[in-house]
Amino acid sequence: MSTVRRTAVALAALSALALTACGPTGDDTAGGTGTPSAGTPTAGSSPTGSAAPSKSATPTAKPSKSAGSPGSKAPTDPDFDVFPCSTHDVTFTASLAEPTTSSYLLKITNKGTKACRVLGHPVVTFGALDGQATERGTAPGIEDAIRLAPGKSAYAGLMGGAVDGTGKTVDSIAMTMNTESDLVQTPLKASTPGLYVSSTKNSVTPWVDNAEDALSL
């Protein structure tokens, strides 16, 4: 082989080696598995490369109202709505107890479905006569007043007085209740044949819970 041809073959071999050393690697070819550069965002990551915060799947529980909160508290006094008895709440009778003193037993009975309080003395007037019976004895305060349940009764004693020529005989009386208010009441009437009303001695006791005490006060 001539010197010129040997020189040409050697140069060609050197060129092939140079091209092989500078050519692309397997990681840069299409479909390569090379690691992406740090500046390339991946799925599920933020543009800065940090993980995006996710929302919690569990909702925040709302505070519930307490069973004992204001507005739901029941009154502790069982008698908080027990009002004074009026003639609208009761029936009324009068029965002769002692003829010589014209004493009558007055009786009221709760005709309603709710309890009421019996306050003070009955207000008793005598037919067409002016004025009313004088109060006899001391009535209990409102806190100690009789609690009259439905169907229960209370009593008072009415004394007209002995026949002394100073009074008059009446055949009926009318009664209203003490309610400590300006409530308009319809008077309840009862027959009292031969009741002698003394001008100075007629009187009525406070309401009590038994007939015996009503006639002995």
Side-chain angles (χ1 to χ4, degrees), residues 17-38:
L17 289 173
L19 288 172
T20 301
C22 297
T25 64
D27 293 337
D28 295 333
T29 59
T33 59
T35 302
S37 63

Side-chain angles (χ1 to χ4, degrees), residues 105-201:
L105 177 67
L106 310 184
K107 177 183 177 182
I108 55 170
T109 302
N110 185 346
K111 66 179 182 180
T113 58
K114 296 180 63 177
C116 60
R117 291 191 185 279
V118 183
L119 303 183
H121 296 69
V123 179
V124 178
T125 55
F126 304 99
L129 297 181
D130 292 334
Q132 64 190 48
T134 303
E135 294 180 355
R136 182 171 83 249
T138 303
I142 188 170
E143 293 182 356
D144 299 317
I146 298 171
R147 184 184 188 277
L148 199 64
K152 298 298 183 180
S153 300
Y155 307 86
L158 173 66
M159 180 178 289
V163 178
D164 58 5
T166 65
K168 293 183 178 180
T169 299
V170 297
D171 293 328
S172 67
I173 60 173
M175 186 276 299
T176 56
M177 303 289 293
N178 178 1
T179 63
E180 294 191 351
S181 72
D182 57 359
L183 175 69
V184 176
Q185 300 180 68
T186 301
L188 300 179
K189 295 183 178 181
S191 176
T192 56
L195 172 61
Y196 186 82
V197 181
S198 170
S199 60
T200 59
K201 296 182 180 179

Side-chain angles (χ1 to χ4, degrees), residues 44-46 50-59:
S45 64
S46 65
S50 60
S54 61
K55 294 182 178 180
S56 171
T58 304

Side-chain angles (χ1 to χ4, degrees), residues 71-97:
S72 64
K73 185 177 180 181
T76 56
D77 182 1
D79 291 338
F80 76 100
D81 61 347
V82 178
F83 297 100
C85 301
S86 74
T87 57
H88 302 292
D89 305 310
V90 300
T91 59
F92 172 60
T93 61
S95 54
L96 183 62

Side-chain angles (χ1 to χ4, degrees), residues 55-73:
K55 294 182 178 180
S56 171
T58 304
T60 303
K62 295 182 178 181
S64 60
K65 293 182 178 180
S66 170
S69 60
S72 64
K73 185 177 180 181

